[in-house]
Amino acid sequence: NAGVTQTPKFQVLKTGQSMTLQCAQDMNHNSMYWYRQDPGMGLRLIYYSASEGTTDKGEVPNGYNVSRLNKREFSLRLESAAPSQTSVYFCASRWGGYNEQFFGPGTRLTVL
Amino acid sequence: QQQVKQSPQSLIVQKGGISIINCAYENTAFDYFPWYQQFPGKGPALLIAIRPDVSEKKEGRFTISFNKSAKQFSLHIMDSQPGDSATYFCAARNTGNQFYFGTGTSLTVIP
């Protein structure tokens, strides 16, 4: 089992460019999450998907869109990147209930 | 507005000592409180978690103490080891299955 995988690992964008961060899990989990991690801020939830076909906004959704393509995949799109979106992005998944949340290795994004 | 407040920001402990990290929250709808450990360049990994109907949970050298009336919970690492040097995050889950994280504590255990 690969667990939670994220691509790419690193990305540099110019202001205004768009890109999609990919996330996939092979644990048959229902719920998937996108977080951003910034120094001194901890992890903040961007979007959450309870199941295939559903998505909900988290704490910091502005400037992002998501797609729950199927049960395995949950992508995060930046339509017009801004320097404030420079961060490390983590995808996570969990079965539900009180079960553990598993995190991917992260994508380090720099917006110039 | 930070929904989960965590302290201290950094902590230095001698090998064999006790590391204590504290968190506080306001939202009484939170129903699950996990702690995560993160090493540089890696994603967070679940360390230990507690539900609010329990006042203490112990797993090996790691213990969560939970005070529901004070809306506070803490992580105690007994017999701290250099391999425990990492960043620790507390978190809380609301009834909508969304997680709110503290700002993290960088722990250094000196040999």
Side-chain angles (χ1 to χ4, degrees):
Chain A
N1 281 355
V4 180
T5 56
Q6 292 183 237
T7 55
K9 285 187 168 53
F10 301 94
Q11 184 71 48
V12 178
L13 293 177
K14 293 181 180 177
T15 296
Q17 286 185 316
S18 62
M19 80 160 294
T20 300
L21 281 64
Q22 306 286 353
C23 174
Q25 52 91 9
D26 62 0
M27 296 174 281
N28 202 34
H29 286 167
N30 293 317
S31 302
M32 297 186 74
Y33 301 77
W34 275 107
Y35 295 91
R36 60 177 289 173
Q37 183 174 27
D38 302 292
M41 302 287 288
L43 286 90
R44 291 181 293 169
L45 182 64
I46 305 171
Y47 269 94
Y48 157 63
S49 172
S51 61
E52 184 179 350
T54 68
T55 60
D56 287 295
K57 293 179 181 179
E59 286 181 88
V60 289
N62 291 345
Y64 304 95
N65 285 301
V66 290
S67 295
R68 183 75 183 266
L69 304 168
N70 47 54
K71 192 171 187 179
R72 288 188 64 248
E73 298 171 290
F74 189 36
S75 63
L76 179 71
R77 182 158 178 85
L78 287 71
E79 290 291 350
S80 179
S84 61
Q85 295 177 305
T86 292
S87 187
V88 181
Y89 291 84
F90 287 101
C91 177
S93 72
R94 56 194 289 270
W95 179 254
Y98 293 101
N99 289 290
E100 178 178 352
Q101 190 171 192
F102 290 86
F103 284 83
T107 294
R108 187 172 294 274
L109 175 68
T110 301
V111 183
L112 302 175
Chain B
Q1 182 183 354
Q2 196 74 27
Q3 298 238 9
V4 179
K5 293 185 169 69
Q6 183 173 345
S7 63
Q9 187 175 342
S10 62
L11 184 60
I12 299 173
V13 172
Q14 295 274 1
K15 179 183 174 181
I18 302 173
S19 304
I20 301 174
I21 305 170
N22 300 300
C23 286
Y25 64 97
E26 287 297 325
N27 187 348
T28 55
F30 289 148
D31 67 353
Y32 177 62
F33 300 86
W35 284 89
Y36 291 87
Q37 181 187 55
Q38 185 180 31
F39 293 103
K42 304 291 186 184
L46 180 69
L47 191 62
I48 187 172
I50 197 167
R51 302 182 198 184
D53 54 347
V54 176
S55 61
E56 185 175 281
K57 183 174 181 180
K58 185 175 181 179
E59 289 184 2
R61 296 184 294 110
F62 302 93
T63 299
I64 300 178
S65 296
F66 189 85
N67 186 329
K68 189 174 182 178
S69 60
K71 291 183 279 188
Q72 295 175 348
F73 58 111
S74 60
L75 176 69
H76 296 234
I77 305 174
M78 312 299 287
D79 187 25
S80 298
Q81 299 297 312
D84 296 332
S85 297
T87 300
Y88 293 81
F89 293 96
C90 61
R93 185 190 74 172
N94 66 11
T95 51
N97 280 311
Q98 299 193 357
F99 288 80
Y100 295 86
F101 283 75
T103 50
T105 296
S106 177
L107 172 65
T108 302
V109 181
I110 300 171

